[in-house]
């Protein structure tokens, strides 16, 4: 059976960014407009006044300082609080395709690969902008890749599930080189009017090239083992689907956007993920405390701190568990891949690290990797 490796990664970062201060200013302007417009109902006790958000709370509760977005103007407009992402004609490249292609090209260049070397494209992300044709097939076409492509969604764990799926195809001999692309436009599913969660997400795209070691460049990462887990939970949920329609204005439609019970998620997911990492490390004969670096899902600084502590047996520093959450926010499935992409070059040959995701489902994925050179 072939040894399977990660031979390249790529990242697309949108040009626009929103600081907590800017976000909170526009949210609070919306609150003021809403409360003024509904003053009589609020005074009569018919509805509750909306409460303002605070930049200090956001940074303290999440570790997020700013987030990149595909459209800033619509999000910071207090009369809208949703991105302007106009539909494009069918003849034009779709926005998710454009982002994905940019990240994919970087991963391919890093591995010294052309379209002719690649057999399949998996788009693994928490939201697809349309039902079909698959985003992966459009990206495949844009890159000029033969073979096949398909989309998959395991929310924040999509990328690690995609990596295992790609590795399985290579292991089975169905492909030798597979691109896993995660174009995350989370600003489209975030309820920017919800004080409890309006600060959480950001937009980005990542790509990972998974290959048979025999065709990989000298510089690559061996995949030592992967493990996936899902446990059903309603604590992170989005009921948007083809049987209903979402509207940022629809107060009655909050469940057609991202909703969560943040505290429950925190309490339930941290032990689940820490235990899963430790058990899988032991199965692979790796002392979890010897892991050189953890590239964790970037949802919340507190969750990452606790998970890293449980796995490493001590408080992890920024070198052991780097964060990109402060600048990128939670980018769903892309988070751990951004962390890996930006923070792997300084490791030495032989160093072992872990790419790990967790999120809605619940879902969690681990990918143990060893630097080859
Ligand atoms: N600005 C100011 N205050 C806010 C606020 C905001 N934007 N949002 C909530 N608050 C207030 C609440 O009203 C509450 O006030 P109270 O104590 O007077 O009732 C207080 O802050 C705490 O609110 P709570 O929602 O319990 O916050 P928290 O400390 O649990 O932090 C999360 C919220 C979401 C950051 C946290 O639960 C979390 O990180 N969960 C992990 C889940 C996650 O990140 N999921 C992403 C998908 S994987």
């Amino acid at each position: 059976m072939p040894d399977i490796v990660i031979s390249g990664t790529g990242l697309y970062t949108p040009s626009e960014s929103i600081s907590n201060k800017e976000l909170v200013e526009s949210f609070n302007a919306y609150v003021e407009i809403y409360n003024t417009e509904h003053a009589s109902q609020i005074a009569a006790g018919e509805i509750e006044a909306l409460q303002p958000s605070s930049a200090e709370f956001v940074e303290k509760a999440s570790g997020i300082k700013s987030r990149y977005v595909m459209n800033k103007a619509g999000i910071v407009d207090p009369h809208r609080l949703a991105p302007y992402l106009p539909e494009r004609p069918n003849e034009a490249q779709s926005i998710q395709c454009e982002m994905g292609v940019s990240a994919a090209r970087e991963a391919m260049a890093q591995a010294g690969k052309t379209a002719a070397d690649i057999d399949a494209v998996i788009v693994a992300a928490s939201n697809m902008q349309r039902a079909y044709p698959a985003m992966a097939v459009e990206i495949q076409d844009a890159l000029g890749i033969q073979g096949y492509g398909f989309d998959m969604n395991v929310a924040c764990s999509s990328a690690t599930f995609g990596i295992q799926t790609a590795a399985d195809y290579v292991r089975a001999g169905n492909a030798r080189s597979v691109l896993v692309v995660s174009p995350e436009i989370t600003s489209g599913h975030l309820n920017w009017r919800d004080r409890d969660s309006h600060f959480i997400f950001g937009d980005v795209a990542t790509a990972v090239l998974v290959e048979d070691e025999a065709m990989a460049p000298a510089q690559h990462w061996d995949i030592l083992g992967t493990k996936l887990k899902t446990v059903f939970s309603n604590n992170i949920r989005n009921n948007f689907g083809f049987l209903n329609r979402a509207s940022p204005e629809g107060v009655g439609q909050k469940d057609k956007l991202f909703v969560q019970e943040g505290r429950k998620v925190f309490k339930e997911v941290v032990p689940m993920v820490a235990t899963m990492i430790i058990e899988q490390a032991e199965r692979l004969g790796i002392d979890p405390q010897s892991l050189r670096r953890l590239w964790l899902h970037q949802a919340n600084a507190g969750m990452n701190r606790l998970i890293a502590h449980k796995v490493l047996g001590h408080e992890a520093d920024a070198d052991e568990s780097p964060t990109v959450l402060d600048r990128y926010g939670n980018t769903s499935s892309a988070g751990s891949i951004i962390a890996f992409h930006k923070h792997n070059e300084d490791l030495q040959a032989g160093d072992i690290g872990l790419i790990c995701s967790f999120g809605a489902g619940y879902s969690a994925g681990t990918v143990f990797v060893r630097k080859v050179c």
Side-chain angles (χ1 to χ4, degrees), residues 52-54 57-58 61-62 156 195-196 198-201 236 258 260 262-263 265-266 297 299-300 303 330 358-359:
S53 184
S54 123
F57 171 87
V58 170
S62 68
C156 288
R195 176 176 175 258
D196 291 345
H198 76 114
F199 51 88
I200 287 182
F201 287 106
I236 312 174
F258 167 89
Q260 74 164 349
R263 294 222 153 175
V265 172
F266 203 114
H297 172 46
N300 176 284
M303 287 177 91
N330 179 346
F358 42 88

Side-chain angles (χ1 to χ4, degrees), residues 259-271:
V259 286
Q260 74 164 349
E261 296 278 351
R263 294 222 153 175
K264 288 187 187 160
V265 172
F266 203 114
K267 275 200 199 117
E268 292 171 10
V269 170
V270 168

